[in-house]
């Protein structure tokens, strides 16, 4: 049961390529070895990368008993805590997903639409004409507020002011490859006081957990404070035996959602703004579609617009935020694409290379939302959120957030790229982000917004 061919480079250099230039490296490997190849990254077991829809289908549709993914996420434990869904496998994972699913269901997610549109308006109202800003900072400001509101139910007040800077600080650490290195290397986890990186991280984390605990106890003591947010829904959920989620589990899952849902969506939005300014004909078509809904369109009607949806899909296709789905370890001998693999082989659905297959996406480096209108892609051909039993829990929320933030901004403001410097994808923790964050400038407001300003309807 020989593993498929792959680069012969020393594993240390394979790892360096994977960290420093993952998209180029995958392109080189796909050109040389095809749809299935083995990467040997220093410190990891051999990883069989698969960019064939048939092979991916086999992985995503396999019963959970054939693959574990939680154990390959082990390095994230200091971030997400011991009780995180991302670390679970088998029946524990299945049960936990059932508990966490209701607030993320398509219908439920729609109830967050108004809040997302309002938050986007608030953030954009701070722009000044002709003063450049970084799209990624704006996206991040939007996604952190959306997560605080939808997940924690907090949008103002003392608790919001206490917890937000701590969360922002924690997320900043994770975004920096150097600052976050202690998370992945145990020998760097030395508490040398509040000024040492690890010492600062664990103190910060403890404060967040204490605040979350106080919030949970407060809501439990005052059930009238339970709202429509994800924390409240999770607190009301029970498993098959009628047991509620424990406090430790609640806190770890809250942090998991924050980490999984914040940077990813912020990066996706920054890319979308980049592509729209780079492709004025796409933006024009999009504006035409949004304007067809009239003034003050209903957020749900916006979220159903086909071209807007295609713009978001094409953004997530071209530079997928997650380069691959979670690695899966086979629990017994398996066969994929006619090849036999021994138990304990690790397979990886290669999102980037699948999204750049020329047979599926001709001229794959071009930003062409029309492809998604001309053709229906299967979940094994277009997979920005992974798939199967591990498929991204927050995909409906992420898509809604992208659509409403884009529609709200482009329909009200005239934006331009602030300079013409080339922008490249660059690693930011586990995601691929635009190298300079996309500098934009607001050159004025559109007619619809002007009418509102005159009527004093919005900021
Ligand atoms: C554009 C934004 C996002 C992208 C591209 C993305 C992508 C992904 C991918 C590729 C996976 C792994 C799936 C697999 O291995 O099959 C995943 C898992 C996950 N995502 Fe997302 N995600 C996004 C936003 C969110 C949001 C907004 C949330 C929640 C607030 C979220 C929560 C999760 C969770 C909890 C998991 C783990 C699921 C499990 O282990 O069962 N994600 N995401």
């Amino acid at each position: 049961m020989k593993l498929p061919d792959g680069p012969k480079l020393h594993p240390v250099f394979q790892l360096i390529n994977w960290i420093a230039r993952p998209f180029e490296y995958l392109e080189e490997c796909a050109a040389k070895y095809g749809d299935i190849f083995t990467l040997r990254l220093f410190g990891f077991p051999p990883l069989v990368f698969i960019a064939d829809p048939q092979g991916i289908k086999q992985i995503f549709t396999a019963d959970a008993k054939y693959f574990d993914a939680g154990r390959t996420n082990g390095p994230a434990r200091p971030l997400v805590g011991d009780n995180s869904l991302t670390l679970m496998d088998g029946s524990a994972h299945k049960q936990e997903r059932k508990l966490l699913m209701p607030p993320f269901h398509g219908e439920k997610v729609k109830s967050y639409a108004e809040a997302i549109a309002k938050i986007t308006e608030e953030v954009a109202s701070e722009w000044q004409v002709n003063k450049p800003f970084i799209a990624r900072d704006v996206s991040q400001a939007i996604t952190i507020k959306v997560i605080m509101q939808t997940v924690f139910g907090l949008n103002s007040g003392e608790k919001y002011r206490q917890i937000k800077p701590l969360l922002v600080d924690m997320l900043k650490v994770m975004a920096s490859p150097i600052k976050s290195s202690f998370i992945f290397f145990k020998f760097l986890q030395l508490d040398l006081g509040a000024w040492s990186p690890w010492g600062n991280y664990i103190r910060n984390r403890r404060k967040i957990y204490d605040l979350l605990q106080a919030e949970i106890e407060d809501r439990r003591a005052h059930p009238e404070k339970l709202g429509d947010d994800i924390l409240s829904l999770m607190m009301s959920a029970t498993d098959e035996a009628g047991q509620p989620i424990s406090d430790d589990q609640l806190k770890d899952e809250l942090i998991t959602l924050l980490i999984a849902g914040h940077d990813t969506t912020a990066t996706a939005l920054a890319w979308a703004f980049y592509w729209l300014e780079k492709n004025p004909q796409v933006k024009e078509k999009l504006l035409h579609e949004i304007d067809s809904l009239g003034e003050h369109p209903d957020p749900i009607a916006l979220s159903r617009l086909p071209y807007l949806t295609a713009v978001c899909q094409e953004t997530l296709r071209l530079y997928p935020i997650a380069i691959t789905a979670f690695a899966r370890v086979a629990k017994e001998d398996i066969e994929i694409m006619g090849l036999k693999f021994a138990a304990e082989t690790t397979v990886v659905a290669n999102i980037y290379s699948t999204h750049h297959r020329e047979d599926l996406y001709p001229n794959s480096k071009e930003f062409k939302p029309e492809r998604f209108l001309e053709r229906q892609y299967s979940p094994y051909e277009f997979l920005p959120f992974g798939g199967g039993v591990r498929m991204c829990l927050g995909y409906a929320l992420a898509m809604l957030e992208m659509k409403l933030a884009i529609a709200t901004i482009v329909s009200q403001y005239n934006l331009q790229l602030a300079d013409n410097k080339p922008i490249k994808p660059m690693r930011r923790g586990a995601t691929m982000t635009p190298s300079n964050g996309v500098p934009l400038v607001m050159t004025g407001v559109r007619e619809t917004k002007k009418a509102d300003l005159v009527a004093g309807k919005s900021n």
Side-chain angles (χ1 to χ4, degrees):
M1 293 194 233
K2 189 176 154 287
L3 292 178
D5 261 2
K8 307 287 175 283
L9 210 58
H10 188 281
V12 168
F13 293 109
Q14 294 200 35
L15 181 67
I16 291 173
N17 272 296
W18 175 246
I19 291 175
R21 50 191 293 278
F23 287 168
E24 293 90 336
Y25 196 46
L26 287 179
E27 278 168 24
E28 288 157 18
C29 293
K32 191 154 181 200
Y33 304 103
D35 296 340
I36 180 162
F37 51 82
T38 306
L39 289 191
R40 290 179 164 79
L41 309 179
F42 184 75
F44 292 86
L47 302 168
V48 179
F49 275 61
I50 301 178
D52 176 287
Q54 266 311 317
I56 290 172
K57 183 174 181 185
Q58 279 177 278
I59 300 171
F60 283 176
T61 55
D63 192 283
K65 69 177 187 224
Y66 291 110
F67 290 109
D68 278 350
R71 59 171 144 142
T72 68
N73 288 332
R77 191 176 293 271
L79 281 181
V80 293
D82 293 334
N83 303 290
S84 166
L85 169 79
T86 53
L87 303 179
M88 296 178 186
D89 276 313
S91 54
H93 175 257
K94 189 172 170 189
Q95 204 175 357
E96 187 75 354
R97 262 192 90 107
K98 242 191 192 163
L99 274 175
L100 296 183
M101 203 56 194
F104 290 100
H105 230 272
E107 281 309 305
K108 181 74 216 163
V109 159
K110 282 185 195 154
S111 67
Y112 311 130
E114 292 278 354
I116 296 172
K118 192 160 169 275
I119 285 169
T120 307
E121 289 200 11
E122 273 166 24
V123 171
S125 69
E126 286 168 17
W127 293 338
Q128 290 166 23
V129 176
N130 292 333
K131 193 165 173 227
F133 61 91
I134 300 294
R136 204 181 179 297
D137 295 345
V138 169
S139 313
Q140 185 139 344
I142 295 172
T143 58
I144 188 110
K145 283 191 171 191
V146 168
I147 262 211
M148 292 279 294
Q149 163 113 48
T150 55
V151 175
F152 300 99
L154 299 175
N155 57 13
S156 58
E158 190 47 31
K159 283 180 194 153
Y160 177 81
R161 271 191 292 281
Q162 277 182 323
I163 202 164
K164 190 173 164 229
L166 293 170
L167 292 176
V168 169
D169 211 39
M170 187 169 92
L171 293 164
K172 244 190 234 155
V173 169
M174 285 164 25
S176 150
I178 296 181
K179 282 192 195 156
S180 63
S181 47
F182 59 77
I183 289 163
F184 302 102
F185 297 106
K186 270 211 154 3
F187 66 90
L188 293 176
Q189 295 175 1
L190 297 169
D191 183 1
L192 302 173
W195 296 102
S196 64
W198 179 249
N200 177 46
Y201 174 75
I202 50 175
R203 278 169 184 74
N204 194 348
R205 196 169 194 277
R206 208 171 298 140
K207 278 190 214 154
I208 296 175
Y209 271 60
D210 287 348
L211 285 169
L212 290 180
Q213 183 64 38
E215 180 63 21
I216 292 168
E217 283 168 15
D218 186 35
R219 289 191 199 186
R220 198 167 285 134
H222 304 98
E224 71 280 4
K225 289 190 182 170
L226 288 170
D228 209 21
D229 54 89
I230 290 167
L231 170 58
S232 297
L233 293 173
M234 276 161 58
M235 284 181 68
S236 319
T238 50
D239 65 15
E240 277 151 14
Q243 288 303 312
I245 308 181
S246 75
D247 288 2
D248 284 344
Q249 218 172 333
L250 270 175
K251 286 177 282 185
D252 285 348
E253 296 300 22
L254 288 172
I255 294 296
T256 299
L257 296 176
L258 179 77
I259 291 173
H262 161 261
D263 229 37
T264 42
T265 318
T267 299
L269 264 177
W271 278 123
F273 289 121
Y274 171 69
W275 292 121
L276 285 173
E277 295 314 318
K278 264 301 221 208
N279 296 276
Q281 74 294 353
V282 172
K283 190 170 161 190
E284 200 158 307
K285 202 164 160 183
L286 178 65
L287 279 173
H288 188 71
E289 184 184 63
I290 297 171
D291 288 347
S292 73
L293 291 180
E295 273 179 43
H296 308 295
D298 167 41
I300 300 299
L302 277 171
S303 72
R304 293 202 181 108
L305 290 175
Y307 198 64
L308 176 60
T309 305
V311 165
C312 296
Q313 289 170 317
E314 182 67 345
T315 301
L316 294 169
R317 178 197 69 82
L318 215 154
Y319 289 144
I321 312 304
I323 312 166
T324 69
F326 293 159
R328 269 89 162 156
V329 184
K331 288 166 77 181
E332 46 190 79
D333 293 358
I334 43 152
E335 201 178 302
I336 301 175
M337 295 162 63
L339 301 170
K340 289 193 168 38
F341 295 100
E344 292 303 306
T345 304
T346 307
V347 296
V348 178
N350 177 350
I351 302 178
Y352 179 76
S353 305
T354 309
H355 284 186
H356 285 272
R357 288 177 66 105
E358 280 293 315
D359 59 343
L360 297 174
Y361 304 100
N363 302 317
S364 74
K365 294 273 173 75
E366 279 175 24
F367 185 78
K368 264 183 59 187
E370 287 72 16
R371 352 175 162 257
F372 285 91
L373 303 176
E374 288 158 6
R375 175 174 173 169
Q376 180 92 32
Y377 290 99
S378 80
Y380 321 111
E381 296 170 338
F382 177 64
L383 53 145
F385 297 105
V389 294
R390 309 263 358 169
M391 177 154 176
C392 175
L393 192 72
Y395 85 91
L397 177 61
M399 282 301 281
L400 185 73
E401 213 175 323
M402 280 183 80
K403 290 179 194 176
L404 294 182
I406 294 170
T408 306
I409 287 175
V410 300
S411 64
Q412 299 190 4
Y413 297 94
N414 292 318
L415 298 176
Q416 269 176 20
L417 286 173
D419 62 47
N420 267 331
K421 290 199 191 107
I423 296 183
K424 292 187 111 197
M426 186 190 79
R427 206 182 254 283
R428 179 185 162 101
T431 63
M432 293 300 284
T433 199
S435 50
N436 58 2
V438 189
L440 290 178
V441 60
M442 192 265 281
T443 54
V445 291
R446 291 186 74 231
E447 286 306 316
T448 41
K449 178 79 178 166
K450 267 187 205 154
D452 274 0
L453 289 172
V454 171
K457 268 194 197 153
S458 79
N459 27 73

